[in-house]
Amino acid sequence: MPSVLRHLLQLLTEAVDRLEQSCASKGTPIPDLDEPLDASSAAFHADSEIAEDARIIGAAAVHLAAIVTPPPLTMYSIIGGLLGSAALRVCLESHVTEILREAGPQGLTPEQISAINGQDPKKLGRFLRVLATHHIYREVEPNVFANNRVSSALDTGKSSGELSKDPATKYDNTNGFGAVVGHHLDEVFKAAAYSWEAATSASETDFEDPTKTPFNKAYNTNDKFFSFVHRPEEAARRHRLGLAMKGGQTMQHPDAVLSNHASIRLVESSYGCIVDVGGGIGTSALKIASHFPNLKLVVQDLPEVLEDAKAFWSQNMPEAITSSRVTLEAHDFFAPQTRKPAVFFLKQVLHDWPGNYCVQILQHLRDAAGPNTRLVVVDSIIRFACKDSGSITGERIQGYEPKEAPAPLLANYGAQGAMAYIGDMVMYLTLNAQERTITQHAQLLCGAGWQIVAVRQPKGDGSFGQGIEAVPV
């Protein structure tokens, strides 16, 4: 029998062969790590066949490294993560990526960068080197740094001078990915340092209390996270968080909302109404409205959120509001639901709340539901790192056939499928909430009078942003 090393090498080699053949036949260039990210290279991951082989290659490479690397060094890839995060935040907040983009591929020394952003050049050089060691930025010659494909993902496209004058609007009119990074390197990063303290000081009644989180420890507050960021003095964090929620869309398949819209067939035939509960400014509703012009949509959220929603729709689809095809409606989902639509749509809402709060939200929707109402929940479904024989999940749910990586890879593709697990940690640190397994989703919905009838999986990573369709029982 071949060794595990040889088996992994065979998987990697076969995947590289397929990837090169696919790229050649489709005219898709394989990304160059030293070149900035652009639209043509981003298309590499948009192709599902290419993306699957890329996942296998990445998973096999990490698995190989874990076998042959000394365990303390493997452990320090996790331990040292906080240090890389600290270095990355300095570069993010001081606009290093934009400064290097303006300099071009020849790069700049830390002293030249510091002359623009005012940082200590000696420390900045050390920050950049630890990041370059992990393929974020690159050291093109001794003590000279430039952008690469990874670091340029943080580029806002704005001038460094513009950002220095008005840092509060840094992520305005961008895809929001930088805002996601900024949020994680600020509130989430600081909260993470108090995970142990929060876990050891918690009583059993605190486990699902959103005021007893590591975030509460870090910021010495009794406010829930969302209440904290709505303080007047936290306007900058609140603004960035709103843009970060938009930025989360960049990490999903472009068609995730539509492929997850399990009940399109129902509303498409009847021209019924969809209520996007806790829909934020309406990012998901905009995609649905763009593809289905006969649908009526109601976007519900808190009044302060809807102020931003008005500007969002005025900029992107003003006619939908003026024609009343889309209605922006103030509503607290912890209050009774007054609408009786064909579909209730909950995208990345339940993962923000502990289970007892989720039951309240779902129960209000169940109380308003008619016999033919559908509920569509779009959230991550956490998968196991081992093979799933069905002994835990029990009877298979229609559509839920998790794509597992070929052996001997971890069934969940290891680090290549990490986004859902990182999201799960973020939910705990800030909200005492979580991402859930399919069984946990089923139990949660059942406890509020709903039964799962199908799971719809978008292309690509099957754990991130799946659609769960449920009916009232």
Side-chain angles (χ1 to χ4, degrees), residues 280-295:
I281 61 175
T283 306
S284 297
L286 179 68
K287 287 197 172 189
I288 297 171
S290 299
H291 283 77
F292 298 95
N294 293 314
L295 285 178

Side-chain angles (χ1 to χ4, degrees), residues 421-450:
Y421 308 93
I422 292 171
D424 186 37
M425 291 294 98
V426 172
M427 295 301 105
Y428 160 63
L429 293 170
T430 56
L431 304 164
N432 244 344
Q434 65 178 110
E435 308 290 356
R436 296 173 171 89
T437 65
I438 188 61
T439 303
Q440 289 170 325
H441 279 293
Q443 291 171 341
L444 191 67
L445 289 161
C446 183
W450 295 94

Side-chain angles (χ1 to χ4, degrees), residues 38-95:
D38 58 26
S40 63
S41 63
F44 175 80
H45 291 288
D47 184 287
S48 58
E49 291 182 5
I50 292 174
E52 171 61 14
D53 284 322
R55 291 173 73 199
I56 291 174
I57 292 166
V62 173
H63 200 147
L64 278 165
I67 293 173
V68 301
T69 301
L73 186 57
T74 298
M75 190 74 73
Y76 259 87
S77 68
I78 295 293
I79 297 168
L82 67 96
L83 306 176
S85 296
L88 185 59
R89 188 180 181 205
V90 171
C91 293
L92 177 75
E93 301 288 1
S94 63
H95 322 308

Side-chain angles (χ1 to χ4, degrees), residues 68-210:
V68 301
T69 301
L73 186 57
T74 298
M75 190 74 73
Y76 259 87
S77 68
I78 295 293
I79 297 168
L82 67 96
L83 306 176
S85 296
L88 185 59
R89 188 180 181 205
V90 171
C91 293
L92 177 75
E93 301 288 1
S94 63
H95 322 308
V96 167
T97 294
E98 288 81 6
I99 292 170
L100 291 178
R101 183 241 300 149
E102 293 167 346
Q106 71 272 14
L108 294 173
T109 66
E111 288 76 15
Q112 290 170 318
I113 300 170
S114 298
I116 299 170
N117 67 9
Q119 294 297 301
D120 177 345
K122 293 180 180 178
K123 294 186 179 70
L124 185 58
R126 293 156 63 189
F127 294 148
L128 282 165
R129 188 164 292 110
V130 73
L131 292 171
T133 300
H134 289 85
H135 301 291
I136 304 174
Y137 301 107
R138 61 191 181 102
E139 192 164 13
V140 295
E141 57 182 89
N143 218 34
V144 177
F145 297 90
N147 279 324
N148 67 355
R149 175 177 168 80
V150 182
S151 65
S152 64
L154 298 175
D155 193 350
T156 61
K158 300 178 181 180
S159 72
S160 58
E162 178 185 355
L163 295 177
S164 296
K165 290 177 182 177
D166 191 9
T169 61
K170 177 169 183 170
Y171 307 113
D172 289 5
N173 302 313
T174 70
N175 65 9
F177 176 71
V180 176
V181 177
H183 165 58
H184 282 185
L185 296 181
D186 186 5
E187 297 98 312
V188 177
F189 178 77
K190 292 168 185 172
Y194 286 85
S195 296
W196 173 245
E197 288 76 6
T200 53
S201 65
S203 66
E204 188 172 343
T205 57
D206 293 340
F207 293 159
E208 288 200 337
D209 186 339

